[in-house]
Amino acid sequence: MPDTTQQRPYHHGNLRTELLEAAERNLRKHGVEQLSLRDLARDVGVSHAAPRRHFADRRALLDALAESGFVRLGATLRAAVDEIDDEGDLPAHLHAFASAYVRFATENAALAGLMNSSKHRPGATAVAEAAAAAFGQIGDLIEEGQARGELEQGDPEAIGLVIYATVLGITSMYNSGMIEPGRLEGLVDTAVTQFLRGARPPEPH
């Protein structure tokens, strides 16, 4: 009898996707230190060598997981902003963006941690590009607000980084147990409101 476990990878069209899904489940349950290609192979029912057809090593798997997380995050942020009917409503767009980010990062805390730790790693080009695409959306919102005179002029990326750093801090505090669940949405609203107040153009004298 042939070893079907050994043969299965050659007929497994969605192995890469299944491995990433299994990796995210394990990440959520056990943390990043417990992830291994061998364990994932066992989880999806393929030979221990099969994952290396898609991921050269554990680091490549983690980078792919981080990249896919940023792709999903980008789509989530885009959908949240697109739900706002008024294209010129900057406060509503920023609130939607910030709330969607916080919801994603708190519901996927382990994945978000991996994403943030991977995007600046030397050589992780694909992860960095996926992160830039996701967060580039806030720069677009800042530019639109500047064009309408609602926000002060300046580098949109640098200005957007302020609101991103704020919501990142909120999610980090929540994920570490420093913020109670009932306070989360109120803090996000306050953060965006304070940002908009501070980023308004100076009043003419």
Side-chain angles (χ1 to χ4, degrees), residues 19 22 26 34-45 48 51:
L19 287 168
N26 286 359
Q34 298 298 316
L35 277 180
S36 76
L37 289 173
R38 182 179 288 271
D39 288 346
L40 293 178
R42 186 188 62 243
D43 289 348
V44 301
H48 66 82

Side-chain angles (χ1 to χ4, degrees), residues 25-168:
R25 288 193 299 271
N26 286 359
L27 179 68
R28 185 186 297 268
K29 290 180 182 178
H30 306 298
V32 68
E33 297 304 323
Q34 298 298 316
L35 277 180
S36 76
L37 289 173
R38 182 179 288 271
D39 288 346
L40 293 178
R42 186 188 62 243
D43 289 348
V44 301
V46 296
S47 72
H48 66 82
R52 295 189 182 277
R53 296 169 62 86
H54 300 280
F55 308 109
D57 52 27
R58 181 176 179 276
R59 183 69 258 175
L61 167 71
L62 294 177
D63 283 351
L65 190 56
E67 180 187 356
S68 68
F70 277 119
V71 171
R72 276 170 43 205
L73 174 60
T76 298
L77 297 175
R78 191 171 299 107
V81 171
D82 287 348
E83 283 184 3
I84 307 300
D85 292 332
D86 186 350
E87 293 185 2
D89 191 341
L90 178 64
H93 281 156
L94 288 177
H95 275 92
F97 186 98
S99 293
Y101 174 79
V102 168
R103 188 162 52 250
F104 180 96
T106 53
E107 292 176 356
N108 305 277
L111 177 61
L114 173 65
M115 290 160 57
N116 288 326
S117 66
S118 299
K119 66 184 178 188
H120 297 302
R121 189 180 64 77
T125 305
V127 181
E129 290 176 351
F135 293 121
Q137 298 176 67
I138 197 163
D140 295 339
L141 293 176
I142 299 299
E143 283 190 15
E144 293 167 9
Q146 290 173 329
R148 291 192 298 268
E150 299 173 39
L151 297 177
E152 63 183 346
Q153 295 301 309
D155 180 3
E157 183 178 349
I159 296 173
L161 189 61
V162 173
I163 187 65
Y164 168 57
T166 304
V167 294
L168 178 63

